[in-house]
Amino acid sequence: MALAVRTPRFQPRPASISAPTTPASTSLAAGNARPRPCAGAAVRASPFTEATSSSRYRRDAWSYAADGSSNSASPSSAAAAAAGRRDDEIALQLPELRRLLDVLRASRGRGAEEGGGPGRVALVGTGPGDPELLTLKAVRAIEAADLVLYDRLVSNDVLDLVGEGARLLYVGKTAGYHSRTQEEIHELLLSFAEAGANVVRLKGGDPLVFGRGGEEMDFLQQQGIKVEVIPGITSASGIAAELGIPLTHRGVATSVRFLTGHSRNGGTDPLYVAGNAADPDTTLVVYMGLSTLPSLAPKLMKHGLPPDTPAVAVERGTTPQQRTVFASLKDLVDEVKSADLVSPTLIIIGKVVSLSPFWVESSEHDALKVQSSYANEAR
């Protein structure tokens, strides 16, 4: 069916939330200004933080310039290091990270005389991309942060809410590039929390749904660090609502199942779930499933899911760059490939997809194309 690039009708999309004009935290040095996204950017421009994006290095510039010395690394050299070896980039950041830790520890030492203690960590879900889907609790935590460790799928609009007195550090992962290992992220969270910082770990969607938030929470709690989890709207809920798709519906779908499309070994074969996931009365939502879709779709049909089951693939859902492909399961792989969708793409498979008004529009669009083709042949 047709590729759709549109803002759905259900809720008008007002202007993005403005960044706070007053920094909510002044415990760290200011001077970490972050530019607003360009309004004239191309529709395919990512609303998220890609590994080598210039916005990332502007946000994280503080971590490459210890004491402003002339031999400090510049963001351009940091970008070059990222394009080369991950270890080179981390080495450039270490001096300033250590200096910041020393400052925090000295501050904590003075605070201890007044009854102070270690800092805390908040695992904050930022939803699928639209900043207006943030909870009020999430906004307050973001504004109050001293240090923000953020993932790739935290949108630029959400990062604009971070107070100017806070420091940001990218710890995102994408296929073929992990800026930090999970163990290194654990140690960063622990080190800064122990030094007395108010640390916010920003994650796209919900931190406890395919976000490895449970691992971070468990690690920190074992070290005696207080952890608060602030839930976010998971992509399945936010994107389904954007398209008018009820994940469950009486008489159509009695349950919903979330799957990760990532192969455990990094290959193209999905995890071994196709057999028991092929239930016509269940809505199947596949996160991070773009690379494994060509393997998953045939397996679902082989295990009994009807080939004409409605499905939709949604790239960068709830953002202005959202693109959608509606198709039957048997055609979905070809349609997604034709549309050249990119990550992040969420896939929803099930009869409830046909309840979306965009499914009807896509069907009508295809019918018109077929009629036009027949008319041209008749001539």
Side-chain angles (χ1 to χ4, degrees), residues 203-227:
K203 294 176 175 286
D206 183 273
L208 301 184
V209 178
F210 300 131
R212 304 192 74 169
E215 297 172 43
E216 295 171 2
M217 178 174 60
D218 182 57
F219 172 81
L220 292 167
Q221 288 175 340
Q222 288 186 29
Q223 308 303 317
I225 301 299
K226 182 179 178 182
V227 180

Side-chain angles (χ1 to χ4, degrees), residues 277-282 284 300-309 329 349:
D279 177 7
D281 295 324
T282 295
L284 192 61
L300 290 171
M301 290 185 285
K302 177 182 177 181
H303 288 288
L305 204 58
D308 61 352
T309 300
L329 180 58
I349 302 170

Side-chain angles (χ1 to χ4, degrees), residues 66-356:
D67 300 323
S69 58
S70 58
N71 61 351
S72 295
S74 67
S76 59
S77 63
R85 291 198 317 120
R86 165 191 164 280
D87 291 346
D88 292 342
E89 183 179 6
I90 292 176
L92 290 174
Q93 293 178 325
L94 280 177
E96 181 64 8
L97 286 170
R98 288 170 177 158
R99 190 194 72 79
L100 183 59
L101 273 173
D102 289 341
V103 170
L104 285 166
R105 285 168 180 152
S107 175
R108 180 192 172 194
R110 292 192 297 272
E113 298 172 1
E114 304 169 1
R120 50 176 279 177
V121 175
L123 306 180
V124 179
T126 63
D130 183 351
E132 295 188 343
L133 295 179
L134 284 169
T135 65
L136 290 175
K137 195 170 187 177
V139 172
R140 293 184 186 118
I142 292 168
E143 292 175 343
D146 295 322
L147 177 69
V148 176
L149 304 184
Y150 65 101
D151 280 345
R152 175 195 169 216
L153 297 184
V154 176
S155 72
N156 294 312
D157 286 340
V158 170
L159 290 172
D160 284 335
L161 297 173
V162 177
E164 293 296 334
R167 301 294 198 186
L168 291 97
L169 186 64
Y170 179 74
V171 293
K173 302 172 185 175
T174 188
Y177 178 78
H178 287 194
S179 62
R180 303 275 176 169
T181 66
Q182 190 62 44
E183 291 71 24
E184 288 167 341
I185 293 172
H186 288 173
E187 291 300 328
L188 281 168
L189 292 169
L190 176 63
S191 297
F192 281 95
E194 286 183 333
N198 184 13
V199 184
V200 166
R201 176 75 169 98
L202 287 184
K203 294 176 175 286
D206 183 273
L208 301 184
V209 178
F210 300 131
R212 304 192 74 169
E215 297 172 43
E216 295 171 2
M217 178 174 60
D218 182 57
F219 172 81
L220 292 167
Q221 288 175 340
Q222 288 186 29
Q223 308 303 317
I225 301 299
K226 182 179 178 182
V227 180
E228 180 182 17
V229 178
I230 300 177
I233 295 178
T234 190
S235 296
S237 297
I239 292 173
E242 183 84 356
L243 297 177
I245 298 173
L247 293 177
T248 61
H249 193 80
R250 182 178 295 183
V252 180
T254 57
S255 62
V256 59
R257 181 168 186 169
F258 294 169
L259 298 179
T260 171
H262 275 182
S263 171
R264 193 178 301 278
N265 297 318
T268 58
D269 191 51
L271 299 180
Y272 307 103
V273 296
N276 53 19
D279 177 7
D281 295 324
T282 295
T283 302
L284 192 61
V285 183
V286 186
Y287 289 70
M288 305 167 287
L290 202 56
S291 63
T292 55
L293 178 62
S295 178
L296 177 64
K299 284 189 174 182
L300 290 171
M301 290 185 285
K302 177 182 177 181
H303 288 288
L305 204 58
D308 61 352
T309 300
V312 61
V314 189
E315 172 194 303
R316 297 166 174 170
T318 78
T319 73
Q321 293 82 5
Q322 173 178 299
R323 299 196 305 152
T324 61
V325 171
F326 285 87
S328 61
L329 180 58
K330 62 181 173 59
D331 298 325
L332 184 62
V333 173
D334 289 340
E335 294 290 346
V336 166
K337 183 178 180 180
S338 175
D340 193 25
L341 297 190
V342 300
S343 174
T345 291
L346 186 87
I347 299 162
I348 305 176
I349 302 170
K351 291 181 288 187
V352 292
V353 173
S354 66
L355 299 178
S356 168

